[in-house]
Amino acid sequence: MKLVDKWYFRDSLSRKEREFNESGYKTVTQEALWNYCVDYLWPRQKATTRRQQKRVLALVTPHAFFDYQQLKAQTKQTTLADMGDLSDLF
């Protein structure tokens, strides 16, 4: 999606970030929420108009968001070189 689209959703993203933060999820950012919406939520929900997208974003729960984060982590292709220094594990 374009930068203009992200700008359009800034208030909705800010509200959702604040909601998550107030629920104790301090590490959730607007950028992470944006990526979740663009990569997973909106295509899956078939939300094609901005109005539908805002409505779907407003209904996102921490459970759904973190399920996506967990799925993303499990399917990410990572090599040992990507993990950096592992010497403290030995």
Side-chain angles (χ1 to χ4, degrees):
M1 292 203 139
K2 299 176 243 172
L3 188 57
V4 173
D5 291 331
K6 188 175 179 182
W7 178 84
Y8 178 81
F9 291 100
R10 74 186 185 288
D11 291 338
S12 298
L13 290 166
S14 179
R15 262 191 305 281
K16 188 52 71 172
E17 177 188 34
R18 192 169 40 256
E19 178 187 318
F20 276 40
N21 288 190
E22 289 171 356
S23 296
Y25 303 105
K26 305 279 186 205
T27 59
V28 176
T29 64
Q30 289 183 35
E31 188 66 28
L33 287 166
W34 174 252
N35 291 332
Y36 167 66
C37 289
V38 171
D39 296 340
Y40 183 78
L41 180 66
W42 293 333
R44 188 160 188 215
Q45 295 291 325
K46 295 182 180 30
T48 56
T49 67
R50 288 180 174 175
R51 177 175 278 168
Q52 289 172 332
Q53 291 167 338
K54 274 189 169 184
R55 207 172 308 130
V56 170
L57 172 56
L59 298 174
V60 170
T61 64
H63 180 76
F65 176 76
F66 287 112
D67 277 354
Y68 165 76
Q69 292 295 325
Q70 185 178 15
L71 179 66
K72 191 170 130 181
Q74 289 174 349
T75 59
K76 182 178 179 183
Q77 296 294 326
T78 305
T79 65
L80 287 175
D82 295 334
M83 293 182 187
D85 182 22
L86 302 175
S87 62
D88 61 332
L89 297 176
F90 301 103

